[in-house]
Amino acid sequence: MTLILGIDPGSRITGYGVVRDTGRGCEYVASGCIRTGDGPLPERLQKVYRGVREVIRLHGPVMLGIEQVFMSRNADSALKLGQARGAALVAAVEEGLAVAEYTATQVKQAIVGTGAADKQQVQLMVMHLLGLVQKPQIDASDALAIALCHAHHRQSLLPHGLSTARRRGGRLRL
């Protein structure tokens, strides 16, 4: 059984979700949001870093799935998102987690079956897949979806002896 942490990075709200991959499916462990407030960006990034480290130390995951940054129309927002993502990545690497990155389309495809799914569809499928009776916060459900996506990708690689392969530029690297 492997604990997987999913992170949906954000400069104001960073969602996290922890699932246990049993090999036959996934079980819910924990989820929530790291809220950074309205302070200066460096202080908010520090809160993301510390929050992710606290989640890792509390739950003990060994793998991290994180969403890749996409370029939107607002370059400033994309840069802040990238910096929050970097803070989360540094926290994970310092704690020794293996890291996998997924695009939003890959996550939606793995969870809902279509890369064009909206956040509510993802949230409902996360609830169904994990047997949750209450809706998690939207950022937390996105993070759980990322963790589930990583579990699904990992399981699809195991029978081929490729579980340690890394994805770079859309290709698997052994």
mmCIF file of all heavy atoms in Angstrom, residues 110-147:
data_model
loop_
_atom_site.group_PDB
_atom_site.id
_atom_site.type_symbol
_atom_site.label_atom_id
_atom_site.label_comp_id
_atom_site.label_asym_id
_atom_site.label_seq_id
_atom_site.Cartn_x
_atom_site.Cartn_y
_atom_site.Cartn_z
ATOM 1 N N ALA A 110 -8.140 10.957 -16.855
ATOM 2 C CA ALA A 110 -7.998 9.793 -15.983
ATOM 3 C C ALA A 110 -9.178 9.626 -15.034
ATOM 4 O O ALA A 110 -9.563 8.500 -14.714
ATOM 5 C CB ALA A 110 -6.702 9.895 -15.186
ATOM 6 N N ILE A 111 -9.757 10.722 -14.582
ATOM 7 C CA ILE A 111 -10.803 10.655 -13.568
ATOM 8 C C ILE A 111 -12.204 10.612 -14.172
ATOM 9 O O ILE A 111 -13.047 9.829 -13.768
ATOM 10 C CB ILE A 111 -10.689 11.854 -12.585
ATOM 11 C CG1 ILE A 111 -9.304 11.881 -11.939
ATOM 12 C CG2 ILE A 111 -11.786 11.829 -11.527
ATOM 13 C CD1 ILE A 111 -8.891 10.593 -11.256
ATOM 14 N N VAL A 112 -12.462 11.466 -15.164
ATOM 15 C CA VAL A 112 -13.808 11.593 -15.733
ATOM 16 C C VAL A 112 -13.937 10.860 -17.064
ATOM 17 O O VAL A 112 -15.013 10.432 -17.443
ATOM 18 C CB VAL A 112 -14.190 13.087 -15.888
ATOM 19 C CG1 VAL A 112 -15.589 13.254 -16.453
ATOM 20 C CG2 VAL A 112 -14.085 13.799 -14.550
ATOM 21 N N GLY A 113 -12.828 10.731 -17.786
ATOM 22 C CA GLY A 113 -12.877 10.082 -19.088
ATOM 23 C C GLY A 113 -12.843 11.048 -20.245
ATOM 24 O O GLY A 113 -12.773 10.647 -21.393
ATOM 25 N N THR A 114 -12.865 12.348 -19.932
ATOM 26 C CA THR A 114 -12.754 13.373 -20.958
ATOM 27 C C THR A 114 -11.914 14.524 -20.431
ATOM 28 O O THR A 114 -12.067 14.932 -19.269
ATOM 29 C CB THR A 114 -14.130 13.886 -21.433
ATOM 30 O OG1 THR A 114 -13.930 14.958 -22.360
ATOM 31 C CG2 THR A 114 -14.983 14.398 -20.285
ATOM 32 N N GLY A 115 -11.053 15.030 -21.272
ATOM 33 C CA GLY A 115 -10.204 16.150 -20.883
ATOM 34 C C GLY A 115 -10.931 17.469 -20.818
ATOM 35 O O GLY A 115 -10.383 18.473 -20.387
ATOM 36 N N ALA A 116 -12.210 17.473 -21.231
ATOM 37 C CA ALA A 116 -12.999 18.705 -21.238
ATOM 38 C C ALA A 116 -13.944 18.800 -20.037
ATOM 39 O O ALA A 116 -14.819 19.657 -20.009
ATOM 40 C CB ALA A 116 -13.804 18.798 -22.535
ATOM 41 N N ALA A 117 -13.768 17.935 -19.037
ATOM 42 C CA ALA A 117 -14.646 17.937 -17.867
ATOM 43 C C ALA A 117 -14.488 19.225 -17.075
ATOM 44 O O ALA A 117 -13.417 19.826 -17.040
ATOM 45 C CB ALA A 117 -14.319 16.737 -16.975
ATOM 46 N N ASP A 118 -15.578 19.645 -16.416
ATOM 47 C CA ASP A 118 -15.483 20.826 -15.564
ATOM 48 C C ASP A 118 -15.195 20.396 -14.123
ATOM 49 O O ASP A 118 -15.180 19.212 -13.799
ATOM 50 C CB ASP A 118 -16.733 21.704 -15.662
ATOM 51 C CG ASP A 118 -18.004 21.030 -15.152
ATOM 52 O OD1 ASP A 118 -17.927 20.138 -14.282
ATOM 53 O OD2 ASP A 118 -19.089 21.403 -15.621
ATOM 54 N N LYS A 119 -14.954 21.375 -13.250
ATOM 55 C CA LYS A 119 -14.548 21.092 -11.868
ATOM 56 C C LYS A 119 -15.604 20.300 -11.097
ATOM 57 O O LYS A 119 -15.269 19.449 -10.286
ATOM 58 C CB LYS A 119 -14.211 22.391 -11.134
ATOM 59 C CG LYS A 119 -12.891 22.991 -11.583
ATOM 60 C CD LYS A 119 -12.540 24.181 -10.713
ATOM 61 C CE LYS A 119 -11.176 24.723 -11.053
ATOM 62 N NZ LYS A 119 -10.089 23.921 -10.500
ATOM 63 N N GLN A 120 -16.882 20.579 -11.363
ATOM 64 C CA GLN A 120 -17.949 19.866 -10.657
ATOM 65 C C GLN A 120 -17.992 18.395 -11.074
ATOM 66 O O GLN A 120 -18.230 17.517 -10.241
ATOM 67 C CB GLN A 120 -19.308 20.534 -10.905
ATOM 68 C CG GLN A 120 -19.495 21.853 -10.162
ATOM 69 C CD GLN A 120 -18.622 22.995 -10.700
ATOM 70 O OE1 GLN A 120 -18.313 23.046 -11.889
ATOM 71 N NE2 GLN A 120 -18.227 23.901 -9.824
ATOM 72 N N GLN A 121 -17.751 18.102 -12.350
ATOM 73 C CA GLN A 121 -17.712 16.711 -12.803
ATOM 74 C C GLN A 121 -16.551 15.974 -12.143
ATOM 75 O O GLN A 121 -16.706 14.827 -11.715
ATOM 76 C CB GLN A 121 -17.570 16.645 -14.328
ATOM 77 C CG GLN A 121 -18.809 17.072 -15.080
ATOM 78 C CD GLN A 121 -18.551 17.140 -16.577
ATOM 79 O OE1 GLN A 121 -17.612 17.805 -17.014
ATOM 80 N NE2 GLN A 121 -19.380 16.457 -17.347
ATOM 81 N N VAL A 122 -15.408 16.628 -12.066
ATOM 82 C CA VAL A 122 -14.247 16.024 -11.415
ATOM 83 C C VAL A 122 -14.559 15.764 -9.943
ATOM 84 O O VAL A 122 -14.290 14.678 -9.415
ATOM 85 C CB VAL A 122 -12.992 16.914 -11.564
ATOM 86 C CG1 VAL A 122 -11.835 16.393 -10.722
ATOM 87 C CG2 VAL A 122 -12.590 17.031 -13.029
ATOM 88 N N GLN A 123 -15.166 16.732 -9.301
ATOM 89 C CA GLN A 123 -15.505 16.607 -7.888
ATOM 90 C C GLN A 123 -16.447 15.413 -7.644
ATOM 91 O O GLN A 123 -16.225 14.617 -6.721
ATOM 92 C CB GLN A 123 -16.158 17.896 -7.388
ATOM 93 C CG GLN A 123 -16.441 17.944 -5.913
ATOM 94 C CD GLN A 123 -17.091 19.242 -5.504
ATOM 95 O OE1 GLN A 123 -18.042 19.698 -6.140
ATOM 96 N NE2 GLN A 123 -16.570 19.852 -4.457
ATOM 97 N N LEU A 124 -17.462 15.262 -8.475
ATOM 98 C CA LEU A 124 -18.405 14.155 -8.321
ATOM 99 C C LEU A 124 -17.751 12.799 -8.567
ATOM 100 O O LEU A 124 -18.017 11.825 -7.854
ATOM 101 C CB LEU A 124 -19.609 14.346 -9.249
ATOM 102 C CG LEU A 124 -20.550 15.497 -8.868
ATOM 103 C CD1 LEU A 124 -21.619 15.692 -9.931
ATOM 104 C CD2 LEU A 124 -21.174 15.259 -7.505
ATOM 105 N N MET A 125 -16.860 12.723 -9.546
ATOM 106 C CA MET A 125 -16.162 11.456 -9.805
ATOM 107 C C MET A 125 -15.195 11.121 -8.678
ATOM 108 O O MET A 125 -15.058 9.948 -8.305
ATOM 109 C CB MET A 125 -15.426 11.500 -11.143
ATOM 110 C CG MET A 125 -16.327 11.247 -12.334
ATOM 111 S SD MET A 125 -17.269 9.702 -12.244
ATOM 112 C CE MET A 125 -15.971 8.482 -12.291
ATOM 113 N N VAL A 126 -14.533 12.121 -8.116
ATOM 114 C CA VAL A 126 -13.647 11.888 -6.968
ATOM 115 C C VAL A 126 -14.466 11.323 -5.811
ATOM 116 O O VAL A 126 -14.064 10.346 -5.170
ATOM 117 C CB VAL A 126 -12.910 13.188 -6.559
ATOM 118 C CG1 VAL A 126 -12.295 13.067 -5.176
ATOM 119 C CG2 VAL A 126 -11.837 13.528 -7.585
ATOM 120 N N MET A 127 -15.630 11.912 -5.563
ATOM 121 C CA MET A 127 -16.504 11.413 -4.497
ATOM 122 C C MET A 127 -16.899 9.958 -4.758
ATOM 123 O O MET A 127 -16.869 9.117 -3.854
ATOM 124 C CB MET A 127 -17.753 12.282 -4.385
ATOM 125 C CG MET A 127 -17.514 13.653 -3.818
ATOM 126 S SD MET A 127 -19.025 14.646 -3.796
ATOM 127 C CE MET A 127 -20.051 13.692 -2.684
ATOM 128 N N HIS A 128 -17.254 9.660 -5.994
ATOM 129 C CA HIS A 128 -17.661 8.300 -6.359
ATOM 130 C C HIS A 128 -16.497 7.315 -6.208
ATOM 131 O O HIS A 128 -16.656 6.240 -5.616
ATOM 132 C CB HIS A 128 -18.193 8.287 -7.797
ATOM 133 C CG HIS A 128 -18.508 6.922 -8.302
ATOM 134 N ND1 HIS A 128 -19.592 6.195 -7.855
ATOM 135 C CD2 HIS A 128 -17.871 6.142 -9.202
ATOM 136 C CE1 HIS A 128 -19.605 5.026 -8.456
ATOM 137 N NE2 HIS A 128 -18.569 4.968 -9.281
ATOM 138 N N LEU A 129 -15.342 7.663 -6.749
ATOM 139 C CA LEU A 129 -14.190 6.760 -6.722
ATOM 140 C C LEU A 129 -13.684 6.488 -5.309
ATOM 141 O O LEU A 129 -13.190 5.400 -5.018
ATOM 142 C CB LEU A 129 -13.052 7.326 -7.577
ATOM 143 C CG LEU A 129 -13.308 7.347 -9.083
ATOM 144 C CD1 LEU A 129 -12.232 8.160 -9.799
ATOM 145 C CD2 LEU A 129 -13.379 5.936 -9.638
ATOM 146 N N LEU A 130 -13.800 7.474 -4.429
ATOM 147 C CA LEU A 130 -13.302 7.317 -3.060
ATOM 148 C C LEU A 130 -14.403 7.002 -2.046
ATOM 149 O O LEU A 130 -14.132 6.856 -0.850
ATOM 150 C CB LEU A 130 -12.537 8.577 -2.627
ATOM 151 C CG LEU A 130 -11.249 8.851 -3.395
ATOM 152 C CD1 LEU A 130 -10.649 10.193 -2.986
ATOM 153 C CD2 LEU A 130 -10.239 7.726 -3.200
ATOM 154 N N GLY A 131 -15.650 6.931 -2.509
ATOM 155 C CA GLY A 131 -16.760 6.611 -1.614
ATOM 156 C C GLY A 131 -17.040 7.696 -0.589
ATOM 157 O O GLY A 131 -17.428 7.397 0.540
ATOM 158 N N LEU A 132 -16.854 8.953 -0.981
ATOM 159 C CA LEU A 132 -17.087 10.061 -0.058
ATOM 160 C C LEU A 132 -18.571 10.427 -0.046
ATOM 161 O O LEU A 132 -19.224 10.414 -1.088
ATOM 162 C CB LEU A 132 -16.263 11.280 -0.463
ATOM 163 C CG LEU A 132 -14.750 11.082 -0.552
ATOM 164 C CD1 LEU A 132 -14.081 12.359 -1.036
ATOM 165 C CD2 LEU A 132 -14.186 10.656 0.785
ATOM 166 N N VAL A 133 -19.093 10.783 1.119
ATOM 167 C CA VAL A 133 -20.495 11.190 1.216
ATOM 168 C C VAL A 133 -20.652 12.705 1.230
ATOM 169 O O VAL A 133 -21.728 13.220 0.951
ATOM 170 C CB VAL A 133 -21.188 10.567 2.455
ATOM 171 C CG1 VAL A 133 -21.295 9.067 2.292
ATOM 172 C CG2 VAL A 133 -20.451 10.921 3.730
ATOM 173 N N GLN A 134 -19.600 13.414 1.568
ATOM 174 C CA GLN A 134 -19.624 14.876 1.554
ATOM 175 C C GLN A 134 -18.680 15.386 0.489
ATOM 176 O O GLN A 134 -17.594 14.820 0.281
ATOM 177 C CB GLN A 134 -19.219 15.456 2.907
ATOM 178 C CG GLN A 134 -20.245 15.255 3.982
ATOM 179 C CD GLN A 134 -19.838 15.976 5.260
ATOM 180 O OE1 GLN A 134 -18.654 16.066 5.578
ATOM 181 N NE2 GLN A 134 -20.818 16.475 5.990
ATOM 182 N N LYS A 135 -19.071 16.489 -0.156
ATOM 183 C CA LYS A 135 -18.220 17.089 -1.178
ATOM 184 C C LYS A 135 -17.009 17.741 -0.525
ATOM 185 O O LYS A 135 -17.148 18.572 0.374
ATOM 186 C CB LYS A 135 -18.973 18.178 -1.951
ATOM 187 C CG LYS A 135 -20.003 17.661 -2.908
ATOM 188 C CD LYS A 135 -20.636 18.808 -3.678
ATOM 189 C CE LYS A 135 -21.680 18.293 -4.633
ATOM 190 N NZ LYS A 135 -22.321 19.385 -5.375
ATOM 191 N N PRO A 136 -15.816 17.381 -0.980
ATOM 192 C CA PRO A 136 -14.635 18.111 -0.497
ATOM 193 C C PRO A 136 -14.611 19.501 -1.150
ATOM 194 O O PRO A 136 -15.265 19.723 -2.164
ATOM 195 C CB PRO A 136 -13.457 17.255 -0.979
ATOM 196 C CG PRO A 136 -13.995 16.395 -2.059
ATOM 197 C CD PRO A 136 -15.474 16.295 -1.884
ATOM 198 N N GLN A 137 -13.875 20.415 -0.557
ATOM 199 C CA GLN A 137 -13.710 21.733 -1.168
ATOM 200 C C GLN A 137 -13.164 21.538 -2.574
ATOM 201 O O GLN A 137 -12.447 20.571 -2.843
ATOM 202 C CB GLN A 137 -12.754 22.581 -0.341
ATOM 203 C CG GLN A 137 -13.250 22.848 1.059
ATOM 204 C CD GLN A 137 -12.186 23.501 1.914
ATOM 205 O OE1 GLN A 137 -11.333 24.232 1.436
ATOM 206 N NE2 GLN A 137 -12.230 23.229 3.204
ATOM 207 N N ILE A 138 -13.486 22.444 -3.472
ATOM 208 C CA ILE A 138 -13.153 22.260 -4.880
ATOM 209 C C ILE A 138 -11.646 22.112 -5.108
ATOM 210 O O ILE A 138 -11.215 21.280 -5.904
ATOM 211 C CB ILE A 138 -13.780 23.374 -5.762
ATOM 212 C CG1 ILE A 138 -13.912 22.909 -7.217
ATOM 213 C CG2 ILE A 138 -13.020 24.661 -5.665
ATOM 214 C CD1 ILE A 138 -15.023 21.958 -7.461
ATOM 215 N N ASP A 139 -10.833 22.892 -4.403
ATOM 216 C CA ASP A 139 -9.377 22.774 -4.554
ATOM 217 C C ASP A 139 -8.878 21.446 -3.992
ATOM 218 O O ASP A 139 -7.958 20.838 -4.537
ATOM 219 C CB ASP A 139 -8.661 23.943 -3.874
ATOM 220 C CG ASP A 139 -8.995 25.268 -4.530
ATOM 221 O OD1 ASP A 139 -8.594 25.457 -5.685
ATOM 222 O OD2 ASP A 139 -9.669 26.094 -3.897
ATOM 223 N N ALA A 140 -9.493 20.985 -2.903
ATOM 224 C CA ALA A 140 -9.125 19.697 -2.322
ATOM 225 C C ALA A 140 -9.544 18.555 -3.242
ATOM 226 O O ALA A 140 -8.800 17.577 -3.400
ATOM 227 C CB ALA A 140 -9.758 19.535 -0.946
ATOM 228 N N SER A 141 -10.715 18.668 -3.878
ATOM 229 C CA SER A 141 -11.139 17.601 -4.796
ATOM 230 C C SER A 141 -10.235 17.556 -6.023
ATOM 231 O O SER A 141 -9.946 16.474 -6.548
ATOM 232 C CB SER A 141 -12.609 17.743 -5.190
ATOM 233 O OG SER A 141 -12.826 18.837 -6.039
ATOM 234 N N ASP A 142 -9.766 18.712 -6.490
ATOM 235 C CA ASP A 142 -8.802 18.729 -7.598
ATOM 236 C C ASP A 142 -7.507 18.027 -7.191
ATOM 237 O O ASP A 142 -6.922 17.277 -7.972
ATOM 238 C CB ASP A 142 -8.499 20.161 -8.038
ATOM 239 C CG ASP A 142 -9.627 20.801 -8.828
ATOM 240 O OD1 ASP A 142 -10.572 20.078 -9.221
ATOM 241 O OD2 ASP A 142 -9.567 22.023 -9.053
ATOM 242 N N ALA A 143 -7.061 18.253 -5.965
ATOM 243 C CA ALA A 143 -5.842 17.606 -5.475
ATOM 244 C C ALA A 143 -6.044 16.102 -5.337
ATOM 245 O O ALA A 143 -5.152 15.314 -5.689
ATOM 246 C CB ALA A 143 -5.425 18.225 -4.134
ATOM 247 N N LEU A 144 -7.198 15.679 -4.849
ATOM 248 C CA LEU A 144 -7.499 14.251 -4.769
ATOM 249 C C LEU A 144 -7.521 13.633 -6.163
ATOM 250 O O LEU A 144 -7.038 12.509 -6.365
ATOM 251 C CB LEU A 144 -8.839 14.024 -4.061
ATOM 252 C CG LEU A 144 -8.840 14.241 -2.547
ATOM 253 C CD1 LEU A 144 -10.268 14.325 -2.018
ATOM 254 C CD2 LEU A 144 -8.053 13.135 -1.845
ATOM 255 N N ALA A 145 -8.053 14.375 -7.140
ATOM 256 C CA ALA A 145 -8.080 13.889 -8.524
ATOM 257 C C ALA A 145 -6.659 13.687 -9.048
ATOM 258 O O ALA A 145 -6.381 12.707 -9.753
ATOM 259 C CB ALA A 145 -8.847 14.867 -9.411
ATOM 260 N N ILE A 146 -5.762 14.591 -8.706
ATOM 261 C CA ILE A 146 -4.364 14.469 -9.136
ATOM 262 C C ILE A 146 -3.726 13.232 -8.498
ATOM 263 O O ILE A 146 -3.014 12.471 -9.164
ATOM 264 C CB ILE A 146 -3.576 15.753 -8.806
ATOM 265 C CG1 ILE A 146 -4.116 16.921 -9.641
ATOM 266 C CG2 ILE A 146 -2.081 15.562 -9.050
ATOM 267 C CD1 ILE A 146 -3.709 18.293 -9.145
ATOM 268 N N ALA A 147 -4.000 13.003 -7.208
ATOM 269 C CA ALA A 147 -3.469 11.818 -6.535
ATOM 270 C C ALA A 147 -4.028 10.543 -7.171
ATOM 271 O O ALA A 147 -3.289 9.576 -7.402
ATOM 272 C CB ALA A 147 -3.797 11.862 -5.042
#
